[in-house]
Amino acid sequence: MCLVGGIILGVWAASRCYRRVGGRPGVILDIATWAVPCGLAGARLYSVITDYQLYFGAGRDWVTIVRIWDGGLGIPGAVAAGSLGAWLACRHAGVSPAPVAGAAAPGLAFGLAAGYWGNWFSQQVYGRPSAMPLAVEISPAHRVPGYENYATFQPIFLYECGWDVLTGLLVIWAARRFLLTGDRAFAGGLAAYAVGKYATESLRIDSAHHVLGLRADQWVMALAFAGGAGYLYLTRGKRGPDRVAGGPGGAAGPLRPAGDVAAAPRPAGAV
């Protein structure tokens, strides 16, 4: 239910942001019909690749791969595959992808914030033992081996939820304050998300593949941050905000930066 609620919240928030820059109602929902299935498939594929020992081998049933309601969704895979699905949908509909990306950035952050609460019910994502007031109690059946004598742990899902809410608000503020185009707003949101995810990954105690002392997800987040920050630097000359040609009720035509007014045709004989 948290997953479904997060998807609904994300699509709703993205739709509001898209209409604010002149987009037609319903465009985001149409794109979501491509992006959401692609995102779910990518999330599961990422989980299977990075935690393959949970699905294959002695005593494992590979059929559990399709049981996404039991958890095991990798957010990096969801973002990558969902973005690809959204881009294909934009190409198919003839919609400019930049303002869609700008609208999706805060929507994605808010949707992830809501979806993370599913980890509270499944008791799958938590950190080191803790006696802090916000600590979450984990049942003995879900405790990591070696920590059976501890009852309460750091609520990683709560940290991630709070960070993602802040990320969504930061993207909205930054897009207005610095006149970011949609693609740059998405890159900034990706970089901000990567910082928080990298930090929370360092607090987790469940088993994971490590490379040079870091969890695999931390390396992925480092690459995501580098990609987002690098894109912001390389496109530092671009100025927004985005405006969708045609406005509400019109055709969602090509992107035109604010203040870029098309020249009127000259009368015959004019110099």
Side-chain angles (χ1 to χ4, degrees):
M1 291 302 294
C2 292
L3 174 63
V4 174
I7 292 172
I8 294 174
L9 175 60
V11 172
W12 174 80
S15 296
R16 283 182 59 88
C17 292
Y18 188 67
R19 291 198 302 269
R20 189 169 294 155
V21 296
R24 288 186 292 111
V27 169
I28 294 297
L29 183 59
D30 291 341
I31 293 174
T33 60
W34 291 57
V36 171
C38 288
L40 290 175
R44 194 55 162 178
L45 180 60
Y46 181 88
S47 178
V48 171
I49 293 175
T50 56
D51 293 314
Y52 59 87
Q53 73 280 1
L54 300 178
Y55 306 97
F56 304 101
R60 301 295 183 178
D61 185 0
W62 65 269
V63 177
T64 57
I65 291 176
V66 301
R67 297 175 61 87
I68 62 173
W69 52 87
D70 289 338
L73 296 175
I75 301 304
V79 174
S83 297
L84 175 61
W87 179 78
L88 292 174
C90 289
R91 294 265 301 180
H92 181 265
V95 174
S96 224
V100 172
L108 178 61
F110 295 143
L112 288 175
Y116 276 129
W117 281 89
N119 292 315
W120 182 68
F121 294 99
S122 64
Q123 299 194 329
Q124 289 184 324
V125 180
Y126 52 89
R128 301 184 182 97
S130 173
M132 61 186 294
L134 294 177
V136 59
E137 183 174 354
I138 302 298
S139 65
H142 293 91
R143 293 174 191 169
V144 174
Y147 293 88
E148 293 88 351
N149 294 329
Y150 297 92
T152 56
F153 300 81
Q154 292 194 51
I156 299 298
F157 71 91
L158 185 60
Y159 300 158
E160 292 179 331
C161 173
W163 182 260
D164 287 348
V165 170
L166 290 176
T167 296
L169 295 175
L170 175 65
V171 169
I172 293 174
W173 173 81
R176 297 176 180 176
R177 173 66 178 80
F178 301 107
L179 302 179
L180 300 179
T181 56
D183 53 328
R184 302 192 77 229
F186 188 88
L190 177 64
Y193 168 80
V195 170
K197 184 66 174 175
Y198 183 96
T200 57
E201 282 293 318
S202 68
L203 300 176
R204 294 180 61 169
I205 57 175
D206 55 321
S207 62
H209 295 286
H210 285 72
V211 179
L212 299 178
L214 294 177
R215 295 169 68 99
D217 277 357
Q218 288 182 287
W219 283 107
V220 173
M221 289 302 102
L223 292 175
F225 174 80
Y231 187 86
L232 286 174
Y233 178 77
L234 293 174
T235 59
R236 59 191 182 279
K238 295 182 68 174
R239 299 285 289 178
D242 290 339
R243 288 291 181 266
V244 179
L255 174 65
R256 177 180 299 162
D260 182 13
V261 181
R266 296 181 181 179
V271 179

